Amino acid sequence: MASVAITPMESNFLVPNATFFVELAAFALLLFLLGKYVIPPINRAMTARQDAIRAQFAELDEAKSEAHAAEEEFKSQIADARHEAARIREEAREQGAQIIAEMREQANAEAARIVEHAHAQIEADRKAAMAQLRSEVGTLATTLAGRIVGESLEDEARQSRVVDRFLSELEGAR
């Protein structure tokens, strides 16, 4: 049986040696430096970015609500404008009908006035024609009667009576 002797040069892998402690110190130093100088700025940048994203989402939600409110207001204004346009059209239609009725009334009144004036003018012309006709017929009748009778009928009173009698006989014969 041979005895196994452990020499101080041989090391047990379970027992840490000086290299392990140097590596452990370097790792701790690296971890400290990363924790102290590298990770906090990264965390601040990530936190700032998250806050910016949250603010953008909040602004987006606010813009959406403003857009919806503006859209509703626009739709309301459009509806109001349509109602106003319909009201204006209806008023214009009513005013047009009223104007047409007034113009018809004026035209009828003007036509009646023209007809009345024409009747009056015709009556005046008829009377003037009758007066002129009486005068001419009277003169012709008295001249003719004077020739037939052989007497002069120059007397105004006699001439007037003869003409009136002749014209009344003519009117009675109608």
Side-chain angles (χ1 to χ4, degrees), residues 93-157:
R93 194 173 295 126
E94 290 172 1
Q95 287 177 352
Q98 182 181 6
I99 289 170
I100 288 172
E102 288 174 0
M103 295 307 280
R104 278 187 185 145
E105 186 178 314
Q106 287 177 357
N108 288 338
E110 184 68 18
R113 187 190 63 77
I114 290 172
V115 167
E116 185 65 29
H117 179 51
H119 283 292
Q121 185 67 36
I122 289 171
E123 185 63 27
D125 289 346
R126 187 182 71 76
K127 285 181 181 178
M130 286 297 283
Q132 186 180 6
L133 184 63
R134 270 181 197 243
S135 164
E136 288 178 16
V137 167
T139 306
L140 287 174
T142 55
T143 305
L144 185 61
R147 282 186 187 168
I148 291 174
V149 172
E151 287 181 38
S152 174
L153 296 173
E154 298 284 325
D155 183 17
E156 287 281 325

Side-chain angles (χ1 to χ4, degrees), residues 24-45:
L24 186 62
F27 179 71
L29 179 65
L30 188 60
L31 194 59
F32 174 73
L33 290 175
L34 284 175
K36 179 83 173 170
Y37 297 107
V38 176
I39 293 177
I42 291 174
N43 280 340
R44 280 193 299 273

Side-chain angles (χ1 to χ4, degrees), residues 10 12 58 60 68 71 100 103 117 119 125 137 146 160 170 174:
E10 278 185 40
N12 187 355
L60 178 65
H68 285 297
E71 181 182 14
I100 288 172
M103 295 307 280
H117 179 51
H119 283 292
D125 289 346
V137 167
S160 178
L170 277 179
R174 270 195 217 171

Side-chain angles (χ1 to χ4, degrees), residues 67-101:
H68 285 297
E71 181 182 14
E72 291 301 317
E73 182 179 345
F74 177 72
K75 287 179 181 178
S76 172
Q77 288 175 352
I78 291 287
D80 290 344
R82 285 182 180 148
H83 291 299
E84 182 69 17
R87 183 187 64 77
I88 290 172
R89 278 193 306 271
E90 188 60 33
E91 284 180 5
R93 194 173 295 126
E94 290 172 1
Q95 287 177 352
Q98 182 181 6
I99 289 170
I100 288 172

